[in-house]
């Protein structure tokens, strides 16, 4: 299984490497106000992927943070010992005849 995983990683690497070699021509990215950026197409695609990844992670952080604090509160509530009232009757156990 370990060799199959390495083979899959090598296949992905060589596929991306071939993609990079086949897309070396320059691409022009036009921004607002007449500015532009000329770079190899691979670099433009990598930059767009990285920017999308960063925006996705930053968009997930607030929800992840709320979930983490709620889980921490729930864990603290479960871990905290609950006080037993002294006037409470002991539970009925039919097998305890003493």
């Amino acid at each position: 299984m370990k060799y199959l995983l390495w083979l899959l990683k090598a296949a992905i690497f060589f596929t991306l490497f071939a993609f990079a070699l086949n897309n070396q021509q320059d691409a022009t990215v036009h921004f607002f106000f007449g500015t532009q950026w000329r770079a190899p197409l691979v670099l433009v695609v990598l930059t767009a992927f990285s920017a999308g990844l960063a925006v996705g992670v930053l968009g997930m952080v607030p929800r992840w943070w709320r979930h983490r604090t709620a889980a921490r509160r729930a864990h603290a509530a479960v871990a905290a010992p609950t006080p037993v009232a002294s006037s409470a009757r002991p539970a009925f156990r039919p097998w305890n005849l003493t």
Side-chain angles (χ1 to χ4, degrees), residues 9-39:
K9 289 178 184 178
I12 291 172
F13 171 77
F14 286 119
T15 301
L16 292 175
F17 188 70
F19 175 76
L21 288 178
N22 287 331
N23 292 299
Q24 290 182 351
Q25 59 270 24
D26 281 346
T28 304
V29 180
H30 297 278
F31 295 107
F32 298 111
F33 307 115
T35 58
Q36 60 184 5
W37 177 46
R38 293 182 58 91

Side-chain angles (χ1 to χ4, degrees), residues 5 8 10 17 19 24 36 41 47-48 57 60 80 82 90:
L5 195 60
L8 179 66
F17 188 70
F19 175 76
Q24 290 182 351
Q36 60 184 5
L41 184 59
T47 304
V57 167
M60 265 179 51
T82 55

Side-chain angles (χ1 to χ4, degrees), residues 40-64:
L41 184 59
V42 167
L43 190 60
V44 171
V45 170
L46 182 65
T47 304
F49 176 75
S50 300
L53 187 69
V55 167
V57 167
L58 288 175
M60 265 179 51
V61 166
R63 183 173 294 173
W64 172 75

